[in-house]
Coordinates of all heavy atoms in Angstrom, one line a residue:
M1 N -15.8 4.3 -5.8 CA -15.0 3.9 -4.8 C -15.9 3.4 -3.6 O -17.0 4.0 -3.4 CB -14.1 5.0 -4.3 CG -12.8 4.6 -3.8 SD -11.5 5.9 -3.4 CE -12.2 7.4 -3.6
Y2 N -15.5 2.4 -3.0 CA -16.4 1.8 -1.9 C -15.6 1.7 -0.5 O -14.4 1.6 -0.6 CB -16.8 0.3 -2.3 CG -17.6 0.3 -3.4 CD1 -17.0 -0.1 -4.7 CD2 -19.0 0.4 -3.3 CE1 -17.9 0.0 -5.9 CE2 -19.8 0.3 -4.5 CZ -19.3 0.0 -5.7 OH -20.0 0.0 -6.8
T3 N -16.3 1.9 0.5 CA -15.7 1.6 1.8 C -15.6 0.1 2.2 O -16.3 -0.6 1.5 CB -16.5 2.4 2.9 OG1 -17.7 1.7 3.1 CG2 -16.5 3.9 2.6
K4 N -14.8 -0.1 3.0 CA -14.6 -1.6 3.5 C -16.0 -2.2 3.8 O -16.2 -3.5 3.8 CB -13.5 -2.0 4.4 CG -13.7 -1.3 5.7 CD -12.5 -1.6 6.7 CE -12.6 -0.9 7.9 NZ -11.5 -1.1 8.8
E5 N -16.9 -1.4 4.4 CA -18.1 -1.9 4.9 C -19.1 -2.1 3.7 O -20.1 -2.9 4.0 CB -18.9 -0.9 5.8 CG -18.1 -0.7 7.2 CD -16.9 0.2 7.1 OE1 -16.8 1.0 6.2 OE2 -16.1 0.0 8.0
E6 N -18.8 -1.7 2.5 CA -19.7 -1.9 1.4 C -19.3 -2.9 0.3 O -19.9 -3.2 -0.6 CB -19.7 -0.5 0.6 CG -20.3 0.7 1.3 CD -20.1 1.9 0.6 OE1 -19.1 2.3 0.1 OE2 -21.2 2.7 0.5
V7 N -18.2 -3.7 0.8 CA -17.8 -4.7 -0.1 C -17.8 -6.1 0.7 O -17.8 -6.1 1.9 CB -16.2 -4.5 -0.7 CG1 -16.3 -3.3 -1.5 CG2 -15.3 -4.4 0.4
D8 N -17.8 -7.1 -0.2 CA -17.8 -8.5 0.4 C -16.4 -8.9 0.9 O -16.2 -9.6 1.9 CB -18.3 -9.5 -0.6 CG -19.6 -9.2 -1.1 OD1 -20.5 -8.6 -0.4 OD2 -20.0 -9.4 -2.3
S9 N -15.4 -8.5 0.2 CA -14.0 -8.7 0.5 C -13.2 -7.5 0.2 O -13.3 -6.9 -0.9 CB -13.4 -10.0 0.0 OG -13.3 -9.9 -1.4
V10 N -12.3 -7.2 1.1 CA -11.4 -6.0 0.7 C -10.3 -6.2 -0.2 O -9.9 -7.5 -0.3 CB -10.9 -5.3 2.1 CG1 -12.1 -4.7 2.9 CG2 -10.1 -6.3 2.8
A11 N -9.7 -5.3 -0.8 CA -8.5 -5.5 -1.6 C -7.4 -5.9 -0.8 O -7.2 -5.5 0.4 CB -8.1 -4.3 -2.4
K12 N -6.4 -6.8 -1.3 CA -5.3 -7.3 -0.6 C -4.2 -7.6 -1.5 O -4.4 -7.9 -2.7 CB -5.7 -8.4 0.4 CG -6.2 -9.7 -0.4 CD -6.7 -10.8 0.5 CE -7.2 -11.9 -0.3 NZ -7.8 -12.9 0.5
P13 N -3.0 -7.7 -1.0 CA -1.9 -8.0 -1.8 C -1.9 -9.4 -2.2 O -2.4 -10.3 -1.5 CB -0.6 -7.7 -0.9 CG -1.1 -7.5 0.4 CD -2.6 -7.3 0.4
L14 N -1.5 -9.7 -3.5 CA -1.6 -11.1 -4.0 C -0.3 -11.8 -3.5 O 0.6 -12.0 -4.5 CB -1.7 -11.0 -5.5 CG -1.9 -12.5 -6.3 CD1 -3.1 -13.1 -5.6 CD2 -2.1 -12.2 -7.6
I15 N -0.2 -12.1 -2.3 CA 0.9 -12.9 -1.8 C 0.2 -14.0 -0.9 O -0.8 -13.7 -0.3 CB 1.9 -12.0 -1.1 CG1 1.4 -11.1 -0.3 CG2 2.8 -11.5 -2.1 CD1 2.4 -10.2 0.6
P16 N 0.8 -15.0 -0.7 CA 0.1 -16.2 0.1 C -0.6 -15.8 1.3 O -1.6 -16.3 1.7 CB 1.1 -17.3 0.1 CG 2.1 -17.1 -0.9 CD 2.1 -15.5 -1.3
E17 N 0.2 -14.9 2.1 CA -0.4 -14.5 3.4 C -1.3 -13.4 3.4 O -1.8 -13.0 4.5 CB 0.8 -14.4 4.3 CG 1.8 -15.5 4.5 CD 2.9 -15.4 3.5 OE1 2.8 -14.6 2.5 OE2 3.8 -16.4 3.4
G18 N -1.5 -12.8 2.4 CA -2.4 -11.5 2.3 C -1.8 -10.4 3.3 O -0.7 -10.2 3.3
W19 N -2.8 -9.8 4.0 CA -2.3 -8.8 4.9 C -1.4 -9.3 6.0 O -0.7 -8.6 6.6 CB -3.4 -8.0 5.5 CG -4.0 -7.0 4.5 CD1 -5.2 -7.1 4.0 CD2 -3.3 -5.9 4.0 NE1 -5.4 -5.9 3.0 CE2 -4.2 -5.2 3.0 CE3 -2.0 -5.3 4.2 CZ2 -3.8 -4.1 2.4 CZ3 -1.7 -4.2 3.5 CH2 -2.6 -3.6 2.6
E20 N -1.5 -10.6 6.2 CA -0.7 -11.3 7.3 C 0.8 -11.2 6.9 O 1.7 -11.5 7.7 CB -1.1 -12.8 7.6 CG -2.6 -12.8 8.0 CD -3.0 -12.0 9.1 OE1 -2.3 -11.9 10.1 OE2 -4.2 -11.4 9.0
A21 N 1.1 -10.8 5.7 CA 2.5 -10.8 5.1 C 3.1 -9.5 5.4 O 4.1 -9.2 4.6 CB 2.4 -11.1 3.8
F22 N 2.6 -8.7 6.3 CA 3.2 -7.3 6.5 C 4.8 -7.4 6.7 O 5.6 -6.6 6.1 CB 2.6 -6.7 7.7 CG 2.9 -5.3 7.7 CD1 2.4 -4.3 6.8 CD2 3.7 -4.7 8.8 CE1 2.6 -3.0 6.8 CE2 3.9 -3.3 8.9 CZ 3.4 -2.4 7.9
P23 N 5.3 -8.4 7.4 CA 6.8 -8.5 7.4 C 7.4 -8.6 6.1 O 8.5 -8.1 5.8 CB 7.1 -9.8 8.3 CG 5.8 -9.9 9.1 CD 4.6 -9.3 8.3
Y24 N 6.8 -9.5 5.3 CA 7.3 -9.6 3.8 C 7.3 -8.3 3.1 O 8.3 -7.9 2.5 CB 6.4 -10.6 3.1 CG 6.6 -10.6 1.6 CD1 7.6 -11.3 1.1 CD2 5.9 -9.8 0.7 CE1 8.0 -11.3 -0.3 CE2 6.2 -9.8 -0.7 CZ 7.2 -10.5 -1.1 OH 7.5 -10.6 -2.5
I25 N 6.2 -7.4 3.3 CA 6.2 -6.2 2.8 C 7.3 -5.3 3.2 O 8.0 -4.6 2.5 CB 4.8 -5.6 2.8 CG1 3.7 -6.4 2.1 CG2 4.8 -4.1 2.3 CD1 2.3 -6.1 2.5
L26 N 7.4 -5.3 4.5 CA 8.5 -4.5 5.1 C 9.9 -4.9 4.6 O 10.7 -4.0 4.5 CB 8.5 -4.6 6.6 CG 7.3 -3.9 7.3 CD1 7.4 -4.2 8.9 CD2 7.3 -2.4 7.1
S27 N 10.1 -6.2 4.3 CA 11.4 -6.6 3.8 C 11.7 -6.1 2.6 O 12.9 -6.0 2.1 CB 11.4 -8.1 3.9 OG 10.7 -8.6 2.7
K28 N 10.7 -5.6 1.7 CA 10.9 -5.1 0.4 C 11.4 -3.5 0.4 O 11.8 -2.9 -0.6 CB 9.6 -5.2 -0.5 CG 9.3 -6.7 -0.7 CD 10.4 -7.3 -1.5 CE 10.1 -8.8 -1.8 NZ 11.3 -9.5 -2.4
L29 N 11.2 -2.9 1.6 CA 11.4 -1.5 1.8 C 13.0 -1.2 1.8 O 13.8 -2.0 2.4 CB 10.9 -0.9 3.0 CG 9.4 -0.7 3.1 CD1 8.9 -0.4 4.4 CD2 9.0 0.3 2.1
K30 N 13.4 -0.3 1.1 CA 14.8 0.1 1.1 C 14.9 1.5 1.9 O 14.3 2.5 1.2 CB 15.5 0.1 -0.3 CG 15.5 -1.2 -0.9 CD 16.0 -1.0 -2.3 CE 15.7 -2.3 -3.0 NZ 15.8 -2.2 -4.5
Y31 N 15.5 1.6 2.9 CA 15.4 2.9 3.7 C 16.1 3.9 2.8 O 17.3 3.8 2.4 CB 16.1 2.7 5.0 CG 15.6 3.5 6.2 CD1 14.5 2.9 6.8 CD2 15.9 4.8 6.5 CE1 13.8 3.6 7.8 CE2 15.4 5.4 7.6 CZ 14.2 4.8 8.2 OH 13.6 5.5 9.1
P32 N 15.4 5.1 2.5 CA 16.0 6.0 1.6 C 17.4 6.7 2.3 O 17.4 6.9 3.4 CB 14.9 7.1 1.6 CG 13.6 6.4 1.8 CD 14.1 5.3 2.8
E33 N 18.3 6.9 1.4 CA 19.6 7.6 1.9 C 19.3 8.8 2.6 O 20.0 9.2 3.7 CB 20.6 7.8 0.7 CG 21.1 6.4 0.2 CD 22.1 6.7 -1.0 OE1 22.7 7.7 -1.0 OE2 22.2 5.7 -1.8
D34 N 18.6 9.7 2.1 CA 18.3 11.0 2.7 C 17.6 10.8 4.2 O 18.1 11.4 5.1 CB 17.2 11.8 1.9 CG 17.8 12.3 0.7 OD1 19.1 12.3 0.6 OD2 17.1 12.9 -0.2
A35 N 16.8 9.7 4.3 CA 16.1 9.4 5.6 C 17.3 8.9 6.6 O 17.2 9.3 7.7 CB 15.1 8.5 5.5
V36 N 18.2 8.2 6.1 CA 19.4 7.6 6.9 C 20.2 8.8 7.3 O 20.5 9.0 8.5 CB 20.1 6.5 6.2 CG1 21.4 6.2 6.9 CG2 19.3 5.2 6.0
R37 N 20.5 9.7 6.4 CA 21.5 10.8 6.7 C 20.9 11.7 7.8 O 21.5 12.2 8.4 CB 21.8 11.4 5.2 CG 22.8 12.5 5.3 CD 23.2 13.0 4.1 NE 22.2 13.1 3.0 CZ 22.1 12.3 2.0 NH1 22.9 11.2 1.8 NH2 21.2 12.5 1.1
E38 N 19.6 11.9 7.6 CA 18.9 12.9 8.5 C 18.3 12.2 9.7 O 17.6 12.9 10.4 CB 17.9 13.6 7.7 CG 18.3 14.4 6.5 CD 17.3 15.1 5.7 OE1 16.2 15.3 6.1 OE2 17.5 15.2 4.5
S39 N 18.7 10.9 9.9 CA 18.1 10.1 11.0 C 16.5 10.2 11.2 O 16.0 10.4 12.2 CB 18.7 10.7 12.4 OG 20.1 10.5 12.3
I40 N 15.8 10.1 10.1 CA 14.3 10.2 10.0 C 13.8 8.8 10.4 O 14.3 7.9 9.7 CB 13.8 10.8 8.6 CG1 14.4 12.1 8.5 CG2 12.4 10.5 8.5 CD1 14.1 12.6 7.0
Q41 N 12.9 8.8 11.4 CA 12.2 7.6 11.8 C 10.8 7.8 12.0 O 10.4 8.9 12.2 CB 12.9 7.0 13.0 CG 14.3 6.6 12.9 CD 14.8 6.0 14.2 OE1 14.2 5.3 14.9 NE2 16.0 6.5 14.6
G42 N 10.0 6.8 11.9 CA 8.6 6.9 12.3 C 7.6 6.2 11.2 O 8.2 5.2 10.6
E43 N 6.5 6.6 11.0 CA 5.5 6.0 10.1 C 5.2 6.8 9.1 O 5.0 8.1 9.2 CB 4.2 5.7 11.0 CG 4.5 4.6 12.2 CD 3.2 4.4 12.8 OE1 2.1 4.7 12.4 OE2 3.2 3.7 13.8
V44 N 4.8 6.2 8.0 CA 4.3 7.0 6.8 C 2.9 6.4 6.5 O 2.6 5.2 6.7 CB 5.2 6.7 5.5 CG1 4.4 7.1 4.3 CG2 6.6 7.3 5.6
S45 N 1.9 7.3 6.3 CA 0.6 6.7 6.0 C 0.2 7.2 4.7 O 0.4 8.3 4.3 CB -0.4 7.3 7.1 OG -0.3 6.8 8.3
L46 N -0.3 6.3 4.0 CA -0.9 6.7 2.6 C -2.3 6.2 2.4 O -2.7 5.2 3.1 CB 0.0 5.8 1.5 CG 1.6 6.1 1.5 CD1 2.2 5.1 0.5 CD2 1.8 7.5 1.1
R47 N -2.9 7.0 1.5 CA -4.3 6.5 1.1 C -4.1 6.2 -0.4 O -3.6 7.0 -1.1 CB -5.3 7.6 1.3 CG -6.7 7.3 1.1 CD -7.8 8.4 1.4 NE -7.6 8.7 2.9 CZ -7.4 9.8 3.4 NH1 -7.3 10.9 2.7 NH2 -7.4 9.9 4.7
Y48 N -4.9 5.1 -0.9 CA -4.7 4.7 -2.3 C -5.8 3.9 -2.7 O -6.7 3.4 -1.9 CB -3.3 4.0 -2.4 CG -3.3 2.6 -1.5 CD1 -3.6 1.4 -2.1 CD2 -2.7 2.9 -0.4 CE1 -3.6 0.3 -1.2 CE2 -2.6 1.7 0.5 CZ -3.1 0.5 0.0 OH -3.0 -0.5 0.9
V49 N -6.0 3.8 -3.9 CA -7.1 3.0 -4.7 C -6.5 1.7 -5.2 O -5.5 1.9 -6.0 CB -7.8 3.9 -5.6 CG1 -9.0 3.1 -6.4 CG2 -8.5 5.0 -4.9
V50 N -7.1 0.6 -4.9 CA -6.8 -0.6 -5.8 C -8.0 -0.7 -6.9 O -9.0 -0.9 -6.5 CB -6.8 -1.9 -4.9 CG1 -6.5 -3.1 -5.7 CG2 -5.8 -1.7 -3.8
E51 N -7.4 -0.6 -8.1 CA -8.4 -0.6 -9.2 C -8.9 -2.1 -9.6 O -8.4 -3.0 -9.0 CB -7.8 0.1 -10.6 CG -7.3 1.4 -10.3 CD -8.5 2.5 -10.2 OE1 -9.6 2.1 -10.7 OE2 -8.3 3.6 -9.9
Q52 N -9.9 -2.2 -10.2 CA -10.4 -3.5 -10.6 C -9.4 -4.4 -11.1 O -9.3 -5.6 -11.1 CB -11.6 -3.4 -11.6 CG -12.9 -2.9 -11.0 CD -13.9 -2.7 -12.2 OE1 -13.6 -2.1 -13.2 NE2 -15.2 -3.0 -11.9
S53 N -8.4 -3.8 -11.9 CA -7.3 -4.5 -12.5 C -6.3 -4.9 -11.6 O -5.3 -5.7 -11.8 CB -6.7 -3.6 -13.6 OG -6.0 -2.5 -12.9
G54 N -6.3 -4.4 -10.3 CA -5.3 -4.8 -9.2 C -4.1 -3.7 -9.3 O -3.2 -3.9 -8.5
H55 N -4.2 -2.8 -10.1 CA -3.2 -1.7 -10.1 C -3.5 -0.7 -9.0 O -4.7 -0.3 -8.7 CB -3.1 -1.0 -11.4 CG -2.5 -1.9 -12.5 ND1 -3.3 -2.6 -13.2 CD2 -1.2 -2.2 -12.7 CE1 -2.5 -3.3 -14.1 NE2 -1.3 -3.1 -13.8
I56 N -2.5 0.0 -8.4 CA -2.7 1.0 -7.4 C -2.6 2.4 -8.2 O -1.8 2.6 -8.9 CB -1.4 1.0 -6.5 CG1 -1.3 -0.4 -5.8 CG2 -1.5 2.1 -5.5 CD1 -2.4 -0.6 -4.7
T57 N -3.6 3.2 -7.7 CA -3.8 4.6 -8.3 C -4.2 5.5 -7.2 O -4.3 5.1 -6.0 CB -4.8 4.8 -9.5 OG1 -6.1 4.4 -8.9 CG2 -4.6 3.8 -10.6
N58 N -4.1 6.8 -7.4 CA -4.6 7.8 -6.6 C -3.9 7.8 -5.2 O -4.5 7.9 -4.1 CB -6.1 7.8 -6.4 CG -6.9 7.9 -7.6 OD1 -6.3 8.5 -8.6 ND2 -8.1 7.6 -7.6
V59 N -2.6 7.6 -5.2 CA -1.8 7.5 -4.0 C -1.7 9.0 -3.4 O -1.4 9.9 -4.0 CB -0.3 7.1 -4.2 CG1 0.5 7.1 -2.9 CG2 -0.4 5.7 -4.8
E60 N -2.1 9.0 -2.2 CA -2.2 10.4 -1.4 C -1.4 10.2 -0.1 O -1.5 9.1 0.7 CB -3.6 10.8 -1.0 CG -3.8 12.0 -0.3 CD -5.2 12.2 0.1 OE1 -6.1 11.7 -0.6 OE2 -5.5 12.9 1.1
I61 N -0.5 11.0 0.2 CA 0.5 10.9 1.5 C -0.5 11.5 2.5 O -0.9 12.7 2.5 CB 1.7 11.8 1.3 CG1 2.5 11.1 0.2 CG2 2.4 11.7 2.6 CD1 3.7 11.9 -0.3
V62 N -0.7 10.7 3.6 CA -1.6 11.2 4.7 C -0.6 11.7 5.9 O -0.9 12.7 6.4 CB -2.5 10.1 5.2 CG1 -3.3 10.6 6.5 CG2 -3.5 9.7 4.1
Q63 N 0.4 11.0 6.0 CA 1.5 11.3 7.1 C 2.8 11.2 6.4 O 3.1 10.1 6.0 CB 1.3 10.3 8.3 CG 2.3 10.7 9.4 CD 2.0 9.7 10.5 OE1 1.0 9.2 10.7 NE2 3.0 9.7 11.4
N64 N 3.5 12.2 6.3 CA 4.8 12.3 5.6 C 5.9 12.5 6.6 O 5.9 13.4 7.4 CB 4.8 13.5 4.6 CG 6.0 13.5 3.7 OD1 6.9 12.8 3.8 ND2 5.9 14.5 2.7
L65 N 6.9 11.7 6.4 CA 8.2 11.9 7.2 C 9.2 12.5 6.6 O 10.1 13.1 7.2 CB 8.8 10.5 7.6 CG 8.0 9.6 8.6 CD1 8.8 8.2 8.7 CD2 8.0 10.2 9.9
G66 N 9.1 12.8 5.2 CA 10.2 13.3 4.5 C 11.3 12.4 4.1 O 11.1 11.1 4.5
G67 N 12.4 12.9 3.6 CA 13.5 12.1 3.3 C 13.3 11.0 2.3 O 14.2 10.0 2.3
G68 N 12.3 11.0 1.5 CA 12.0 10.0 0.5 C 11.2 8.8 1.0 O 11.0 7.8 0.2
C69 N 10.8 8.7 2.3 CA 10.2 7.7 2.9 C 8.7 7.4 2.2 O 8.5 6.2 1.8 CB 9.9 7.8 4.4 SG 11.4 7.9 5.3
P70 N 7.9 8.5 1.9 CA 6.6 8.1 1.3 C 6.8 7.6 -0.2 O 6.0 6.7 -0.7 CB 5.9 9.4 1.2 CG 6.6 10.4 2.2 CD 7.9 9.8 2.4
Q71 N 7.8 8.1 -0.8 CA 8.1 7.5 -2.2 C 8.6 6.1 -2.2 O 8.0 5.3 -3.0 CB 9.1 8.5 -2.9 CG 8.7 9.9 -3.2 CD 8.7 10.8 -1.9 OE1 9.3 10.5 -0.9 NE2 8.2 12.0 -2.1
E72 N 9.2 5.7 -1.2 CA 9.7 4.3 -1.1 C 8.5 3.5 -0.7 O 8.4 2.3 -1.3 CB 10.8 4.2 -0.2 CG 11.3 2.8 0.2 CD 11.8 2.1 -1.0 OE1 12.0 2.7 -2.1 OE2 12.0 0.9 -0.9
V73 N 7.6 3.8 0.2 CA 6.5 3.0 0.5 C 5.6 3.0 -0.7 O 5.1 1.9 -1.1 CB 5.6 3.6 1.6 CG1 4.4 3.0 1.9 CG2 6.6 3.7 3.0
T74 N 5.4 4.0 -1.5 CA 4.6 3.9 -2.8 C 5.2 3.0 -3.7 O 4.5 2.2 -4.4 CB 4.6 5.4 -3.3 OG1 3.8 6.3 -2.4 CG2 3.7 5.4 -4.6
R75 N 6.5 3.0 -3.9 CA 7.2 2.1 -4.8 C 6.8 0.6 -4.4 O 6.6 -0.1 -5.3 CB 8.7 2.3 -4.7 CG 9.5 1.4 -5.7 CD 10.9 1.5 -5.5 NE 11.3 0.8 -4.1 CZ 11.5 -0.5 -3.9 NH1 11.2 -1.4 -4.9 NH2 11.7 -1.0 -2.7
V76 N 7.1 0.3 -3.1 CA 6.6 -1.1 -2.8 C 5.2 -1.4 -3.0 O 5.0 -2.5 -3.5 CB 7.1 -1.3 -1.2 CG1 6.6 -2.6 -0.8 CG2 8.7 -1.2 -1.2
L77 N 4.3 -0.5 -2.5 CA 2.8 -0.9 -2.8 C 2.7 -1.2 -4.2 O 1.9 -2.0 -4.6 CB 2.0 0.4 -2.4 CG 1.8 0.5 -0.8 CD1 1.0 1.7 -0.6 CD2 1.0 -0.7 -0.3
R78 N 3.2 -0.3 -5.2 CA 3.0 -0.5 -6.5 C 3.7 -1.7 -7.0 O 3.3 -2.2 -8.2 CB 3.3 0.7 -7.3 CG 2.4 1.9 -7.1 CD 2.6 3.1 -8.0 NE 1.6 4.0 -7.9 CZ 1.6 5.2 -8.2 NH1 2.8 5.8 -8.3 NH2 0.5 6.1 -8.2
S79 N 4.7 -2.2 -6.4 CA 5.4 -3.3 -7.0 C 4.7 -4.7 -6.7 O 5.0 -5.7 -7.3 CB 6.9 -3.5 -6.3 OG 6.8 -4.0 -5.0
L80 N 3.7 -4.6 -5.9 CA 3.0 -5.8 -5.5 C 1.8 -6.0 -6.4 O 1.3 -5.1 -6.9 CB 2.5 -5.8 -4.0 CG 3.5 -5.7 -2.9 CD1 2.8 -5.3 -1.6 CD2 4.3 -7.0 -2.8
D81 N 1.4 -7.2 -6.6 CA 0.2 -7.5 -7.4 C -0.9 -7.5 -6.3 O -0.7 -7.9 -5.3 CB 0.2 -8.9 -8.2 CG 1.2 -8.9 -9.2 OD1 1.4 -8.0 -9.9 OD2 2.0 -10.0 -9.4
W82 N -2.0 -6.9 -6.7 CA -3.1 -6.9 -5.8 C -4.3 -7.5 -6.3 O -4.7 -7.7 -7.5 CB -3.5 -5.3 -5.6 CG -2.5 -4.6 -4.8 CD1 -1.2 -4.2 -5.3 CD2 -2.5 -4.2 -3.5 NE1 -0.5 -3.5 -4.2 CE2 -1.3 -3.6 -3.1 CE3 -3.4 -4.4 -2.4 CZ2 -1.0 -3.2 -1.8 CZ3 -3.3 -4.0 -1.2 CH2 -2.0 -3.4 -0.9
I83 N -5.2 -8.0 -5.3 CA -6.6 -8.6 -5.6 C -7.5 -7.5 -5.3 O -7.4 -7.0 -4.2 CB -6.7 -9.8 -4.8 CG1 -5.8 -11.0 -5.1 CG2 -8.2 -10.3 -5.0 CD1 -5.9 -12.1 -4.0
P84 N -8.3 -7.1 -6.2 CA -9.3 -5.9 -6.0 C -10.3 -6.5 -5.0 O -10.5 -7.6 -4.7 CB -9.9 -5.6 -7.3 CG -9.7 -6.9 -8.2 CD -8.5 -7.6 -7.6
A85 N -11.0 -5.4 -4.5 CA -12.1 -5.7 -3.6 C -13.3 -6.4 -4.4 O -13.3 -6.3 -5.7 CB -12.7 -4.5 -2.9
I86 N -14.2 -7.2 -3.8 CA -15.2 -7.8 -4.4 C -16.5 -7.3 -3.8 O -16.7 -7.3 -2.6 CB -15.0 -9.4 -4.2 CG1 -13.8 -9.9 -4.8 CG2 -16.3 -10.1 -4.8 CD1 -13.6 -9.8 -6.2
R87 N -17.5 -7.0 -4.6 CA -18.8 -6.7 -4.1 C -19.8 -7.3 -5.2 O -19.8 -7.2 -6.4 CB -18.9 -5.1 -4.3 CG -20.3 -4.6 -3.8 CD -20.4 -3.1 -3.8 NE -21.6 -2.8 -3.1 CZ -22.4 -1.8 -3.5 NH1 -22.1 -1.1 -4.6 NH2 -23.5 -1.5 -2.8
N88 N -20.7 -8.1 -4.4 CA -21.7 -8.8 -5.2 C -21.0 -9.7 -6.3 O -21.6 -9.8 -7.4 CB -22.8 -7.9 -5.9 CG -23.5 -7.2 -4.8 OD1 -23.8 -7.5 -3.7 ND2 -23.8 -5.8 -5.2
G89 N -20.0 -10.4 -6.0 CA -19.3 -11.3 -6.9 C -18.4 -10.6 -7.9 O -17.9 -11.3 -8.9
M90 N -18.4 -9.4 -8.0 CA -17.6 -8.6 -9.0 C -16.5 -7.8 -8.5 O -16.6 -7.2 -7.4 CB -18.6 -7.6 -9.8 CG -19.8 -8.2 -10.3 SD -19.7 -8.9 -11.9 CE -19.1 -7.6 -12.9
A91 N -15.4 -7.7 -9.2 CA -14.2 -6.9 -8.8 C -14.7 -5.4 -8.9 O -15.3 -5.0 -9.9 CB -13.0 -7.1 -9.7
V92 N -14.3 -4.6 -7.8 CA -14.7 -3.3 -7.7 C -13.5 -2.5 -7.3 O -12.6 -3.0 -6.7 CB -15.8 -2.9 -6.9 CG1 -17.1 -3.5 -7.4 CG2 -15.7 -3.4 -5.5

């Protein structure tokens, strides 16, 4: 695993706008029924690894709201195709 300072380019979602497409990513979220019912609002933070293949692994919940919110964010992250980070011309 490498930090962003150790790579030539960081991993990003394979959509035309890359990280600039955050509104697109948000549009894919479905607010969990439990979160709606319990009026849960706020931010979810996850830590994850983008493998050389572009698949997401090792998802870790850093900030949990409950109500199914972290699971929904994880679902969306895994539904996207990813470009892995590049180091010395190789996918890492």
